[in-house]
Amino acid sequence: MKYMNSSKRLSLLMIALATLLVSCDAQVAQQQTAADARRLIKSGSKWEDLAAYSRAVVVGKWVFVSGTVGFSPADSSLSPDFDEQMDQIFANISWALKEANSGLEDIVRVRCFLTDAKYVNAMSAKLHQYLGDVQPTNTTVVTALAAEGALIEVEVTAIKR
């Protein structure tokens, strides 16, 4: 380079810089693609296969947990007691979030589907118990549920740590 004129040296430096920038852009794009890849979390529930869904899906920094009722994963039993259903729901959600490298403290949105408005106070007490300091957004709807015997279904969105 000692004997090159300054315009040739400048041209070579610009080519080298452009090559470096293209390489960096490719690396960033590759990392972004990896971060945005969908990861499916399955619990092994028969309902996941039946209805073609995952317990949770991780996309980038987001964790989307499917609507969850109070079925026990051990034996598919469902307590008739509202509070017991809520406890099992949060156990099931906690498991899914842990699998996604997240936790209850990372929840940013909750959707609750009740079969009867008479459960609003009991639901609120359980939300305070499990999410009191987190205070995510919340939508509550009174509706019929597909899962026979379920009194409430809860869906959450969280941020991955």
Side-chain angles (χ1 to χ4, degrees):
M1 280 181 78
K2 181 178 179 182
Y3 300 107
M4 281 188 206
N5 66 33
S6 62
S7 65
K8 281 187 177 179
R9 275 187 282 194
L10 183 59
S11 293
L12 285 174
L13 285 172
M14 289 179 70
I15 290 170
L17 180 59
T19 303
L20 180 63
L21 289 174
V22 168
S23 174
C24 288
D25 285 347
Q27 287 178 341
V28 168
Q30 188 176 29
Q31 289 172 350
Q32 188 65 37
T33 300
D36 289 339
R38 291 167 47 110
R39 183 164 70 94
L40 307 180
I41 296 173
K42 301 283 193 172
S43 68
S45 160
K46 66 180 181 184
W47 293 284
E48 290 171 353
D49 285 337
L50 180 70
Y53 75 96
S54 298
R55 170 63 28 222
V57 176
V58 181
V59 179
K61 66 180 183 174
W62 295 102
V63 182
F64 303 92
V65 180
S66 291
T68 304
V69 296
F71 283 108
S72 168
D75 60 7
S76 295
S77 64
L78 180 65
S79 171
D81 180 73
F82 184 85
D83 285 345
E84 289 178 17
Q85 285 190 25
M86 284 291 285
D87 291 336
Q88 186 62 58
I89 286 168
F90 275 97
N92 296 346
I93 289 172
S94 293
W95 175 87
L97 290 173
K98 183 178 178 184
E99 291 292 309
N101 196 26
S102 190
L104 294 178
E105 65 277 9
D106 301 310
I107 293 174
V108 296
R109 180 174 61 192
V110 176
R111 289 186 181 135
C112 299
F113 302 92
L114 294 168
T115 58
D116 193 314
K118 71 181 180 182
Y119 297 120
V120 168
N121 289 337
M123 175 201 70
S124 297
K126 285 296 182 177
L127 291 175
H128 274 284
Q129 177 184 335
Y130 288 101
L131 303 174
D133 292 336
V134 178
Q135 297 196 356
T137 63
N138 180 351
T139 300
T140 301
V141 176
V142 177
T143 187
L145 297 176
E148 188 177 333
L151 303 173
I152 183 168
E153 184 168 338
V154 178
E155 169 188 301
V156 303
T157 303
I159 297 175
K160 189 172 88 170
R161 289 188 210 138

